[in-house]
Coordinates of all heavy atoms in Angstrom, one line a residue:
Q397 N 6.4 -4.2 14.2 CA 5.2 -4.0 13.4 C 5.3 -2.7 12.7 O 4.9 -2.6 11.5 CB 4.0 -3.9 14.4 CG 3.7 -5.3 15.1 CD 2.6 -5.1 16.0 OE1 1.7 -4.2 15.9 NE2 2.5 -6.0 17.0
G398 N 5.8 -1.6 13.3 CA 5.9 -0.4 12.6 C 6.9 -0.4 11.4 O 6.6 0.2 10.3
E399 N 8.0 -1.1 11.6 CA 9.0 -1.2 10.5 C 8.4 -2.0 9.4 O 8.6 -1.6 8.1 CB 10.3 -1.8 11.0 CG 11.1 -0.9 12.0 CD 12.3 -1.6 12.5 OE1 12.4 -2.9 12.4 OE2 13.2 -1.0 13.1
E400 N 7.7 -3.1 9.6 CA 7.1 -3.8 8.6 C 6.0 -3.0 7.8 O 5.9 -3.0 6.6 CB 6.4 -5.1 9.2 CG 7.4 -6.1 9.6 CD 6.8 -7.3 10.3 OE1 5.5 -7.2 10.6 OE2 7.5 -8.2 10.7
G401 N 5.2 -2.2 8.6 CA 4.2 -1.4 7.9 C 4.8 -0.3 7.1 O 4.3 0.0 6.0
K402 N 5.9 0.3 7.5 CA 6.6 1.3 6.8 C 7.1 0.8 5.5 O 7.0 1.4 4.4 CB 7.7 1.9 7.6 CG 8.6 2.9 6.9 CD 9.8 3.3 7.7 CE 10.7 4.2 6.9 NZ 11.9 4.6 7.7
T403 N 7.7 -0.5 5.5 CA 8.2 -1.1 4.3 C 7.1 -1.3 3.3 O 7.2 -1.1 2.1 CB 8.9 -2.4 4.7 OG1 10.0 -2.1 5.6 CG2 9.4 -3.1 3.5
Q404 N 5.9 -1.8 3.8 CA 4.8 -2.1 2.9 C 4.3 -0.8 2.3 O 4.0 -0.8 1.1 CB 3.7 -2.7 3.7 CG 4.0 -4.1 4.1 CD 2.9 -4.7 5.0 OE1 1.9 -4.1 5.3 NE2 3.0 -6.0 5.4
L405 N 4.2 0.3 3.0 CA 3.8 1.6 2.5 C 4.8 2.1 1.4 O 4.3 2.6 0.4 CB 3.7 2.7 3.6 CG 2.5 2.5 4.6 CD1 2.6 3.5 5.7 CD2 1.2 2.6 3.8
Q406 N 6.1 1.9 1.6 CA 7.1 2.3 0.6 C 6.9 1.5 -0.7 O 7.1 2.0 -1.8 CB 8.5 2.2 1.2 CG 8.8 3.2 2.3 CD 10.1 2.9 3.0 OE1 10.6 1.8 2.9 NE2 10.7 3.9 3.5
A407 N 6.6 0.2 -0.5 CA 6.4 -0.6 -1.6 C 5.1 -0.2 -2.4 O 5.1 -0.2 -3.7 CB 6.2 -2.1 -1.2
M408 N 4.1 0.3 -1.7 CA 2.8 0.8 -2.3 C 3.1 2.0 -3.1 O 2.6 2.2 -4.2 CB 1.8 1.1 -1.3 CG 1.2 -0.1 -0.6 SD 0.3 -1.3 -1.7 CE 1.6 -2.5 -1.9
L409 N 4.0 2.9 -2.6 CA 4.4 4.0 -3.4 C 5.0 3.7 -4.7 O 4.7 4.2 -5.8 CB 5.4 4.9 -2.6 CG 4.8 5.8 -1.5 CD1 5.9 6.5 -0.8 CD2 3.7 6.8 -2.0
G410 N 5.9 2.6 -4.7 CA 6.5 2.2 -5.9 C 5.5 1.5 -6.9 O 5.6 1.8 -8.1
N411 N 4.5 0.8 -6.4 CA 3.6 0.1 -7.2 C 2.6 1.2 -7.9 O 2.2 1.0 -9.0 CB 2.7 -0.8 -6.4 CG 3.5 -2.1 -5.9 OD1 4.5 -2.3 -6.5 ND2 3.1 -2.7 -4.9
L412 N 2.3 2.2 -7.1 CA 1.4 3.2 -7.7 C 2.1 4.0 -8.9 O 1.4 4.5 -9.7 CB 1.0 4.3 -6.6 CG 0.0 3.7 -5.5 CD1 -0.1 4.7 -4.4 CD2 -1.3 3.4 -6.2
D413 N 3.4 4.0 -8.9 CA 4.1 4.7 -10.0 C 4.1 3.9 -11.3 O 4.3 4.4 -12.4 CB 5.6 4.9 -9.6 CG 5.7 6.1 -8.5 OD1 4.7 6.9 -8.4 OD2 6.7 6.0 -7.8
I414 N 3.8 2.6 -11.2 CA 3.9 1.7 -12.4 C 2.6 1.1 -12.8 O 2.6 0.3 -13.7 CB 4.9 0.5 -12.1 CG1 4.4 -0.3 -10.9 CG2 6.3 1.1 -11.9 CD1 5.3 -1.5 -10.8
V415 N 1.5 1.5 -12.2 CA 0.2 1.0 -12.6 C -0.2 1.6 -14.0 O 0.1 2.7 -14.3 CB -0.9 1.3 -11.6 CG1 -0.7 0.6 -10.3 CG2 -1.0 2.8 -11.4
N416 N -0.8 0.6 -14.9 CA -1.2 1.1 -16.2 C -2.6 0.9 -16.6 O -3.1 1.6 -17.5 CB -0.3 0.3 -17.3 CG 1.2 0.7 -17.2 OD1 1.5 1.8 -17.1 ND2 2.1 -0.3 -17.3
T417 N -3.3 0.0 -15.9 CA -4.6 -0.3 -16.2 C -5.6 0.0 -15.0 O -5.1 0.2 -13.9 CB -4.8 -1.8 -16.5 OG1 -4.5 -2.6 -15.4 CG2 -3.8 -2.2 -17.7
L418 N -6.8 0.0 -15.3 CA -7.8 0.4 -14.3 C -7.8 -0.7 -13.2 O -7.9 -0.4 -12.0 CB -9.2 0.5 -14.9 CG -10.4 0.7 -13.9 CD1 -10.2 2.1 -13.2 CD2 -11.7 0.7 -14.7
Q419 N -7.7 -2.0 -13.6 CA -7.7 -3.1 -12.7 C -6.4 -3.0 -11.8 O -6.5 -3.2 -10.5 CB -7.7 -4.4 -13.4 CG -7.7 -5.6 -12.5 CD -7.8 -6.9 -13.2 OE1 -7.8 -7.0 -14.5 NE2 -7.8 -8.0 -12.5
E420 N -5.3 -2.6 -12.4 CA -4.1 -2.5 -11.5 C -4.2 -1.4 -10.5 O -3.8 -1.5 -9.4 CB -2.9 -2.3 -12.4 CG -2.5 -3.5 -13.2 CD -1.3 -3.2 -14.1 OE1 -1.0 -2.0 -14.3 OE2 -0.7 -4.1 -14.7
V421 N -4.8 -0.3 -11.0 CA -5.1 0.9 -10.1 C -5.9 0.5 -9.0 O -5.7 0.8 -7.8 CB -5.6 2.1 -10.9 CG1 -6.0 3.2 -9.9 CG2 -4.6 2.7 -11.9
D422 N -7.0 -0.2 -9.3 CA -8.0 -0.6 -8.3 C -7.4 -1.6 -7.3 O -7.6 -1.4 -6.1 CB -9.2 -1.2 -9.0 CG -10.3 -1.5 -7.9 OD1 -10.8 -0.6 -7.2 OD2 -10.7 -2.7 -7.8
T423 N -6.7 -2.5 -7.8 CA -6.0 -3.5 -6.8 C -5.0 -2.8 -6.0 O -4.9 -3.1 -4.8 CB -5.4 -4.6 -7.7 OG1 -6.4 -5.3 -8.5 CG2 -4.8 -5.7 -6.8
T424 N -4.2 -2.0 -6.6 CA -3.1 -1.4 -5.8 C -3.6 -0.4 -4.8 O -3.1 -0.4 -3.6 CB -2.1 -0.6 -6.7 OG1 -1.6 -1.5 -7.8 CG2 -1.0 0.0 -6.0
I425 N -4.6 0.4 -5.1 CA -5.2 1.3 -4.2 C -5.9 0.5 -3.0 O -5.8 0.9 -1.8 CB -6.2 2.2 -4.9 CG1 -5.5 3.2 -5.8 CG2 -7.1 3.0 -3.8 CD1 -6.4 4.1 -6.6
G426 N -6.5 -0.6 -3.3 CA -7.2 -1.4 -2.3 C -6.1 -1.9 -1.3 O -6.3 -1.9 0.0
T427 N -5.0 -2.4 -1.8 CA -3.9 -2.9 -1.0 C -3.3 -1.8 -0.1 O -3.0 -2.0 1.1 CB -2.9 -3.6 -1.8 OG1 -3.5 -4.7 -2.6 CG2 -1.8 -4.2 -0.9
A428 N -3.2 -0.6 -0.8 CA -2.6 0.5 -0.1 C -3.5 1.0 1.1 O -3.0 1.3 2.2 CB -2.3 1.6 -1.0
D429 N -4.8 0.9 0.8 CA -5.7 1.3 1.9 C -5.6 0.4 3.1 O -5.7 0.8 4.3 CB -7.2 1.3 1.4 CG -7.5 2.4 0.4 OD1 -6.7 3.5 0.5 OD2 -8.4 2.4 -0.4
E430 N -5.5 -0.9 2.9 CA -5.4 -1.9 4.0 C -4.1 -1.6 4.7 O -4.1 -1.6 6.0 CB -5.3 -3.3 3.4 CG -6.6 -3.8 2.8 CD -6.5 -5.2 2.3 OE1 -5.4 -5.8 2.4 OE2 -7.6 -5.7 1.7
C431 N -3.0 -1.3 4.0 CA -1.7 -1.0 4.7 C -1.9 0.2 5.5 O -1.3 0.3 6.6 CB -0.6 -0.9 3.7 SG -0.2 -2.4 2.9
S432 N -2.5 1.2 4.9 CA -2.7 2.5 5.6 C -3.5 2.3 6.9 O -3.2 2.9 8.0 CB -3.4 3.5 4.7 OG -2.6 3.8 3.6
M433 N -4.6 1.5 6.8 CA -5.4 1.3 8.0 C -4.6 0.6 9.2 O -4.7 0.9 10.3 CB -6.6 0.4 7.6 CG -7.6 1.2 6.8 SD -9.0 0.1 6.3 CE -9.7 -0.3 7.9
K434 N -3.7 -0.4 8.7 CA -3.0 -1.1 9.7 C -2.0 -0.1 10.4 O -1.8 -0.1 11.6 CB -2.1 -2.2 9.0 CG -2.9 -3.4 8.6 CD -2.1 -4.5 8.0 CE -3.0 -5.7 7.6 NZ -2.1 -6.8 7.0
I435 N -1.4 0.8 9.6 CA -0.4 1.7 10.2 C -1.1 2.8 11.0 O -0.6 3.1 12.1 CB 0.3 2.5 9.0 CG1 1.3 1.5 8.3 CG2 1.1 3.7 9.6 CD1 2.4 1.0 9.3
E436 N -2.3 3.2 10.7 CA -3.1 4.1 11.5 C -3.5 3.5 12.8 O -3.4 4.1 13.9 CB -4.3 4.5 10.8 CG -4.0 5.6 9.6 CD -5.3 5.9 8.8 OE1 -6.3 5.3 9.1 OE2 -5.2 6.7 7.9
D437 N -3.8 2.2 12.7 CA -4.1 1.4 14.0 C -2.9 1.3 14.9 O -2.9 1.4 16.1 CB -4.7 0.0 13.6 CG -5.1 -0.7 14.8 OD1 -6.0 -0.3 15.6 OD2 -4.5 -1.8 15.1
W438 N -1.8 1.0 14.2 CA -0.5 0.9 14.9 C -0.1 2.3 15.6 O 0.3 2.2 16.8 CB 0.6 0.5 14.0 CG 2.0 0.5 14.5 CD1 2.5 -0.6 15.3 CD2 3.0 1.5 14.4 NE1 3.8 -0.2 15.6 CE2 4.1 1.0 15.1 CE3 3.0 2.7 13.8 CZ2 5.3 1.7 15.2 CZ3 4.2 3.5 13.9 CH2 5.3 3.0 14.5

């Protein structure tokens, strides 16, 4: 579970570097928050 969560967080970092629109920022940040909550729970 930890390795999968770490991989998702690393992917979120990459996605945050390439967002261009407000919608992309909003969607990516929302997904990143969910991943962060899972890792904090883990």
Side-chain angles (χ1 to χ4, degrees):
Q397 295 178 24
E399 290 176 346
E400 292 176 351
K402 175 185 173 182
T403 300
Q404 291 176 358
L405 288 176
Q406 290 174 336
M408 289 299 100
L409 284 178
N411 291 337
L412 289 171
D413 288 336
I414 59 175
V415 293
N416 295 316
T417 65
L418 179 61
Q419 183 178 359
E420 290 177 349
V421 170
D422 185 60
T423 301
T424 303
I425 289 178
T427 304
D429 287 341
E430 291 179 3
C431 291
S432 297
M433 290 178 63
K434 289 182 180 179
I435 289 299
E436 288 174 356
D437 182 61
W438 175 82

